[in-house]
Amino acid sequence: MPEHSTDAATPVVSAFYDRFPYPGDPVQDGPPPGYNWRWCLRSVHAAVHGELQPEPAGGRPWKILDAGCGTGVSTDYLCYLNPGADVLAVDISAGALEVARERLRRSGGADQVISLRQEQRSLLDLQGEGPFDYINSVGVLHHLDAPEAGLTSLAQLLAPHGLLHLFLYADAGRWEIHRTQRALNLLEVGTGAEGLRLGRELFETLPQNNRLRRHHEQRWSVDCAAEANFADMYLHPQETSYDLERLMGFIEASGLHFAGFSNPAVWDPARLLEGELLQRASSLPLPQQWALIEQLDPDISHFEFFVSAQPVQVETWGDDQALLDAYGELQPCLWGWPSSSLLGTDLEPISLDEPSLALLQAVEQHPGTSLKSLGIGAEVVDVARDLCKRRLLLLKPGSG
């Protein structure tokens, strides 16, 4: 571990992940399974900005930082979903990095990018690196003794047009987890093998109708089958969680700007309400809609979201001519294409009607061609707008 690492929790957290390298996904030969659009920069740009962003000036590659890469699962996807990028992956745990390097070696991920560095470094000590077009830091900042310092450090590494993807724990959905953590701490089980054994024994010993046991068995037992995953959830020596109000204050204090949730369906009132209640909820400003969802769904256990160095203006493609002048690209994160029945960005089932399928096929077959020049017909505007809303079609502004 670097001697200049400055967060107070770093030594104990590093030692913890040396014992339990996380995440516990198996290492395998070949590409990682499936996709995750949050690790594909083109998909992220379209989701956040409503449109694809210009390529970096001078023909340089996109620069990507995986800040707190763990065992390299995210790094593997970042390499495969952003071919030709320049990737730096850092973590404080030598044990996790050993797994990460083996993962990328066997997967061939390093061959997908122009440069890949995997280094044992703290995200607080990356002076001289960057600026980065995209920073991925999932499940990391809440394990720092001073998360504010971590976010400030990442903000300083972000390019002016850059985006940062974060994942932080939420108070409400971790109610039972927090009580289990405190109970195991009171029992002084430790954070090693004995803690793992006694932690599992606790759930077997508690009465079957006990709320903590029921919550674990119904929601988390499958996720916690791997030892590293169980330890990360219940034995971690350093954890912070947030409610929505504190989360927004946390972002604002860093000088960054909230740029949208990366699981927007969770924050849609239509997921929980209907009728007049949904109408009332939908008429609220977005921050109040989110606050309402937070109160109505106490199972939300984390926040996943994007922040930006500059405020984001979202292109909604409301102007027909601008849409016709635009160039289209097929969403890279689809399963089953080409077909009218496929899985979307969040692995949800999708059925395409004939006009939608025809437009996506035309876009794929004629790259760099404006929508108006594809010869689809008058309905292209409505079809393209619908596909863009569903994140199946990514658009880049044309010259008019």
Side-chain angles (χ1 to χ4, degrees):
M1 182 179 59
E3 294 181 359
H4 53 276
S5 182
T6 55
D7 187 78
T10 293
V12 67
V13 173
S14 177
F16 177 80
Y17 282 125
D18 285 345
R19 288 193 295 273
F20 299 108
Y22 182 86
D25 299 39
V27 175
Q28 62 182 39
D29 296 317
Y35 49 80
N36 184 324
W37 72 268
R38 299 156 189 85
W39 292 329
C40 175
L41 191 48
R42 300 189 76 74
S43 297
V44 168
H45 281 159
V48 172
H49 297 280
E51 62 184 14
L52 294 168
Q53 297 298 286
E55 298 289 334
R60 72 166 178 83
W62 295 108
K63 290 181 66 67
I64 297 174
L65 170 64
D66 198 6
C69 64
T71 59
V73 172
S74 53
T75 310
D76 207 11
Y77 281 100
L78 286 167
C79 289
Y80 268 96
L81 295 176
N82 303 281
D86 180 353
V87 179
L88 171 62
V90 301
D91 200 272
I92 58 173
S93 167
L97 271 173
E98 183 178 355
V99 178
R101 292 184 179 115
E102 176 68 6
R103 184 186 306 280
L104 272 292
R105 185 189 67 79
R106 287 181 52 180
S107 77
D111 298 331
Q112 308 302 311
V113 293
I114 194 170
S115 173
L116 170 64
R117 289 182 289 150
Q118 296 171 276
E119 300 179 357
Q120 187 184 5
R121 300 170 68 179
S122 166
L123 59 82
L124 296 170
D125 298 300
L126 294 177
Q127 294 84 358
E129 300 289 356
F132 293 96
D133 304 296
Y134 191 54
I135 298 177
N136 176 71
S137 191
V138 171
V140 178
L141 295 183
H142 52 223
H143 291 316
L144 295 178
D145 182 63
E148 299 81 5
L151 186 55
T152 298
S153 177
L154 293 179
Q156 294 170 350
L157 296 169
L158 202 58
H161 59 271
L163 293 172
L164 167 58
H165 184 225
L166 295 171
F167 174 113
L168 297 172
Y169 291 145
D171 289 341
R174 294 183 71 81
W175 189 94
E176 293 86 353
I177 295 170
H178 288 159
R179 277 149 185 78
T180 303
Q181 290 171 342
R182 288 195 285 269
L184 292 171
N185 189 51
L186 287 168
L187 291 169
E188 299 181 343
V189 303
T191 60
E194 184 177 48
L196 183 68
R197 175 179 61 83
L198 291 172
R200 292 197 184 278
E201 186 176 319
L202 176 66
F203 288 119
E204 297 172 358
T205 302
L206 289 170
Q208 288 189 341
N209 63 350
N210 176 270
R211 177 170 172 172
L212 303 187
R213 176 172 177 169
R214 283 189 290 109
H215 184 263
H216 172 75
E217 292 178 344
Q218 293 170 7
R219 187 167 184 193
W220 300 115
S221 60
V222 173
D223 289 344
C224 288
E227 290 186 355
N229 294 10
F230 185 97
D232 186 72
M233 180 167 289
Y234 293 113
L235 303 178
H236 205 289
Q238 175 65 40
E239 176 180 313
T240 300
S241 62
Y242 297 85
D243 62 18
L244 194 57
E245 182 178 1
R246 296 201 315 279
L247 177 73
M248 294 303 174
F250 175 63
I251 296 169
E252 184 178 356
S254 72
L256 295 169
H257 303 269
F258 183 79
F261 290 107
S262 60
N263 57 347
V266 170
W267 300 95
D268 183 352
R271 181 175 67 88
L272 302 173
L273 302 173
E274 58 185 25
E276 182 183 350
L277 290 171
L278 177 57
Q279 292 178 356
R280 287 174 175 262
S282 300
S283 69
L284 296 172
L286 279 177
Q288 291 184 35
Q289 290 187 34
W290 302 333
L292 177 65
I293 297 299
E294 182 180 40
Q295 297 306 313
L296 293 177
D297 188 358
D299 283 335
I300 294 175
S301 60
H302 69 271
F303 300 105
E304 55 179 271
F305 56 98
F306 301 104
V307 293
S308 58
Q310 303 292 335
V312 169
Q313 297 296 320
V314 181
E315 173 59 70
T316 60
W317 299 104
D319 181 85
D320 288 0
Q321 190 58 53
L323 190 148
L324 287 169
D325 289 336
Y327 302 91
E329 287 188 17
L330 186 69
Q331 165 67 250
C333 296
L334 296 176
W335 189 274
W337 177 262
S339 170
S340 60
S341 297
L342 57 153
L343 298 181
T345 52
D346 289 316
L347 300 178
E348 76 281 10
I350 288 176
S351 295
L352 297 174
D353 58 23
E354 289 186 12
S356 298
L357 180 62
L359 178 54
L360 291 178
Q361 288 175 327
V363 164
E364 184 180 44
Q365 293 165 6
H366 303 283
T369 303
S370 66
L371 297 187
K372 67 184 177 185
S373 302
L374 290 175
I376 299 298
E379 74 274 14
V380 67
V381 168
D382 291 335
V383 175
R385 191 168 283 135
D386 176 67
L387 289 172
C388 187
K389 182 179 179 180
R390 297 164 71 185
R391 294 190 294 157
L392 304 179
L393 176 66
L394 313 185
L395 297 178
K396 181 179 180 180
S399 55

